């Protein structure tokens, strides 16, 4: 059961309407790092989590993210309030009205398509999608993903704060950014409260490969660090004549029944490209300046 308190979680004071700024704020309303995606990500995780402590935490954070969504949506609505009224009532001459709503960065789309209200899009107008929810149903993997999501959201808020001229909006965004830090700490505590939380899942890795570092991008810029040196790592320089790490000749194989093999061979024979001819092609027939060397047309 949900209850809604009509007071915002954090008081927002907007100095003056700014449709362009409103469009940028949509990144945290309907964008991939936004509050709706966060709320649904943690809510669906909480519904399926069998651990009562994590379930409680996830539902609490999911509900708080909905409060954050309300804050961002209110900011967008207030920043577009002036143009929204003018657009609805046609209160200005056409040219002046157009100048008000076409202030760049999608503000015209926000005004015309959504009447100045908060839209479930990112700042570029891309519609919100459930594909933003990347939960996989394994707590040690989902908590790591949540930590990364909070980190990304913190960076977006940081960027919005840096470009926001309105002190009241900046203040609210600072609150929201700070809560991303708090949530990251909560998720990290939950993750490291799970014994043997790495590697994610139940199956162990193959010990033959878990400690190998393959140097496969070689040349200027090769570096060593804690990610590829020390007692933990076996450093392997991959050479052009490198044999498959698993042995064998590196050629893929599959066992087929005789009838299947016959069909495969017949299809290969039918579609074989000849190497003893140089056919004239459409490119040859239409060749003009800049086409390079072509097959002569007889």
């Amino acid at each position: 059961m949900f209850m809604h308190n009509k007071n915002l979680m954090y008081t927002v004071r907007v100095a003056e309407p700014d449709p362009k700024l409103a469009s940028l704020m949509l990144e945290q309303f309907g964008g991939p790092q936004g509050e709706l995606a966060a709320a649904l990500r943690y809510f669906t995780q909480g519904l399926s989590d069998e651990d009562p402590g994590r379930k409680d935490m996830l539902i609490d954070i999911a509900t708080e993210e909905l409060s954050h969504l309300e804050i961002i949506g209110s900011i967008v609505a207030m920043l577009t309030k002036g143009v929204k009224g003018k657009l609805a009532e046609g209160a200005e001459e056409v040219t002046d009205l157009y100048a008000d709503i076409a202030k760049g960065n999608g503000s015209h789309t926000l005004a015309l398509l959504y009447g100045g209200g908060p839209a479930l899009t990112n700042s570029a107008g891309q519609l919100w999608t459930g594909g933003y929810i990347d939960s996989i149903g394994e707590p040690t993997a989902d908590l790591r993903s949540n930590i990364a999501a909070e980190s990304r959201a913190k960076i977006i808020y940081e960027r919005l704060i840096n470009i926001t001229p309105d002190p009241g909006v900046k203040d609210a965004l600072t609150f929201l950014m700070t809560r991303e830090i708090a949530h990251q700490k909560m998720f990290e505590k939950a993750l490291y409260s799970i014994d043997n939380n790495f590697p994610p899942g139940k199956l162990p890795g193959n010990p033959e490969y878990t400690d190998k570092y393959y140097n496969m991008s070689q040349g200027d810029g090769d570096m060593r660090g804690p990610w590829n040196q020390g007692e933990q790592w076996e450093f392997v320089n991959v050479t052009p004549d490198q044999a498959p790490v698993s042995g064998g000749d590196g050629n893929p194989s599959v066992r087929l029944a005789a009838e299947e093999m016959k069909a495969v061979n017949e299809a290969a024979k039918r579609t074989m490209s000849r190497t003893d001819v140089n056919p004239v092609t459409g490119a040859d027939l239409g060749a003009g300046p800049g086409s390079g060397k072509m097959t002569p047309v007889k």
Side-chain angles (χ1 to χ4, degrees), residues 16-19 76-89 91-92 97 100-101 116:
E16 60 183 358
D18 187 340
V76 172
M78 287 187 284
L79 288 171
T80 59
K81 191 174 288 292
V83 69
K84 179 180 179 180
K86 293 175 183 177
L87 185 66
E89 301 303 322
E92 292 184 0
L97 183 57
D100 264 352
I101 67 174

Side-chain angles (χ1 to χ4, degrees), residues 106-129:
S107 60
H108 56 292
T109 303
L110 178 62
L112 290 175
L113 294 185
Y114 304 104
L120 287 179
T121 72
N122 68 2
S123 58
Q126 175 66 47
L127 292 174
W128 188 91
T129 169

Side-chain angles (χ1 to χ4, degrees), residues 46-176:
L47 289 177
S48 62
D49 201 314
E50 298 299 331
D51 182 86
R54 281 199 309 270
K55 179 187 285 289
D56 182 50
M57 176 195 68
L58 286 163
I59 297 297
D60 277 339
I61 296 177
T63 306
E64 181 180 347
E65 301 288 20
L66 288 175
S67 295
H68 295 177
L69 184 72
E70 185 178 29
I71 292 172
I72 288 291
S74 297
I75 290 173
V76 172
M78 287 187 284
L79 288 171
T80 59
K81 191 174 288 292
V83 69
K84 179 180 179 180
K86 293 175 183 177
L87 185 66
E89 301 303 322
E92 292 184 0
E93 292 295 329
V94 173
T95 52
D96 294 332
L97 183 57
Y98 180 79
D100 264 352
I101 67 174
K103 292 186 176 179
N105 211 66
S107 60
H108 56 292
T109 303
L110 178 62
L112 290 175
L113 294 185
Y114 304 104
L120 287 179
T121 72
N122 68 2
S123 58
Q126 175 66 47
L127 292 174
W128 188 91
T129 169
Y132 295 155
I133 311 304
D134 55 3
S135 303
I136 201 168
E138 161 58 43
T140 59
D142 283 339
L143 286 170
R144 285 185 168 88
S145 179
N146 296 351
I147 292 166
E150 294 293 322
S151 301
R152 292 191 297 270
K154 194 266 185 184
I155 296 301
I156 295 297
Y157 275 126
E158 198 170 299
R159 293 172 180 172
L160 287 171
I161 289 168
N162 289 337
I163 64 170
T164 297
D166 190 313
V169 175
K170 192 184 293 283
D171 176 65
L173 294 180
T174 300
F175 165 75
L176 295 172

Side-chain angles (χ1 to χ4, degrees), residues 165-186:
D166 190 313
V169 175
K170 192 184 293 283
D171 176 65
L173 294 180
T174 300
F175 165 75
L176 295 172
M177 180 195 72
T178 304
R179 292 305 297 163
E180 307 295 351
I181 299 171
H183 292 165
Q184 179 174 337
K185 294 197 299 182
M186 297 171 199

Side-chain angles (χ1 to χ4, degrees), residues 142-274:
D142 283 339
L143 286 170
R144 285 185 168 88
S145 179
N146 296 351
I147 292 166
E150 294 293 322
S151 301
R152 292 191 297 270
K154 194 266 185 184
I155 296 301
I156 295 297
Y157 275 126
E158 198 170 299
R159 293 172 180 172
L160 287 171
I161 289 168
N162 289 337
I163 64 170
T164 297
D166 190 313
V169 175
K170 192 184 293 283
D171 176 65
L173 294 180
T174 300
F175 165 75
L176 295 172
M177 180 195 72
T178 304
R179 292 305 297 163
E180 307 295 351
I181 299 171
H183 292 165
Q184 179 174 337
K185 294 197 299 182
M186 297 171 199
F187 287 135
E188 291 211 13
K189 290 295 185 182
L191 173 63
Y192 289 100
S193 295
I194 301 174
D195 291 333
N196 301 320
N197 64 70
F198 182 84
K202 182 178 180 180
L203 293 179
N206 185 336
E208 186 175 354
Y209 306 116
T210 51
D211 302 323
K212 282 187 169 65
Y213 181 94
Y214 293 109
N215 184 28
M216 303 184 75
S217 173
Q218 299 176 13
D220 290 343
D222 271 7
M223 296 190 68
R224 303 295 295 272
W227 53 86
N228 64 9
Q229 70 179 2
E231 295 183 358
Q232 181 179 352
W233 298 108
E234 178 187 349
F235 189 88
V236 179
N237 262 319
V238 178
T239 60
D241 58 349
Q242 175 74 45
V245 297
S246 59
D249 59 9
N251 293 315
S253 62
V254 59
R255 290 186 178 182
L256 296 176
E259 184 177 345
E260 293 171 323
M261 180 61 75
K262 179 181 177 182
V264 168
N265 289 337
E266 288 177 351
K269 182 178 179 180
R270 177 174 55 81
T271 60
M272 181 181 297
S273 293
R274 293 173 56 186

